[in-house]
Amino acid sequence: MRASKIVTLISVLVFAASLTQNCYNVRGDPPSAGSPGVWLLFIGPIGLFYGIFEWLANPVLLAAWIFSFVGKNKIALVLGALASALIVAFLFRQTIIASEAPTYEKITRYGLGYWLWLTSAALVILSAVIGILNERKPVES
């Protein structure tokens, strides 16, 4: 298996690990509470109706993985960069929907799940760069 594919696989595994962790806390949450990644993955599309477009990083990241696995590294690089930008944009969000009402609460802390999510996007960028560099190497006979 090529190095770029291995890094893409690690990216997928890091994303899976992010789903098991809390991603952020809002005012009033104890540090042990928070928003688990798997829950956010499923309810995230609802946020689109409220202007929380950062959730779109997930389908973009999925597309980046697919393109990376099939060897379309330039496309994977662009998609990985877009996913990373969307994920980083979440750092600038001051509040988030905290109930069905909807009520908004201040984000007070970013958890391990968030940082693993960001790491998975960075890894797919690295994978694409490795793939592009490998494509440019002359084949030795």
Side-chain angles (χ1 to χ4, degrees), residues 6-124:
I6 292 170
V7 175
T8 301
L9 181 60
I10 293 169
S11 172
V12 172
L13 294 173
V14 168
F15 180 82
S18 79
L19 298 178
T20 68
Q21 302 298 311
N22 289 331
C23 295
Y24 61 84
N25 289 76
V26 295
R27 183 178 40 225
D29 277 349
S32 61
S35 300
V38 71
W39 174 250
L40 295 174
L41 180 65
F42 291 123
I43 67 163
I46 296 169
L48 294 173
F49 296 111
Y50 297 97
I52 303 171
F53 297 107
E54 295 89 349
W55 182 87
L56 291 172
N58 292 321
V60 173
L61 189 56
L62 174 63
W65 291 329
I66 292 168
F67 280 105
S68 180
F69 277 127
V70 298
K72 302 291 186 184
N73 293 304
K74 291 177 184 174
I75 297 171
L77 178 61
V78 170
L79 292 172
L82 178 58
S84 294
L86 287 165
I87 294 168
V88 168
F90 189 73
L91 283 174
F92 297 98
R93 187 163 292 284
Q94 302 289 319
T95 60
I96 193 81
I97 296 171
S99 73
E100 303 83 22
T103 58
Y104 290 80
E105 292 288 341
K106 180 174 175 40
I107 298 171
T108 58
R109 175 183 165 289
Y110 294 93
L112 181 59
Y114 173 81
W115 300 110
L116 289 171
W117 185 38
L118 181 58
T119 301
S120 70
L123 284 169
V124 81

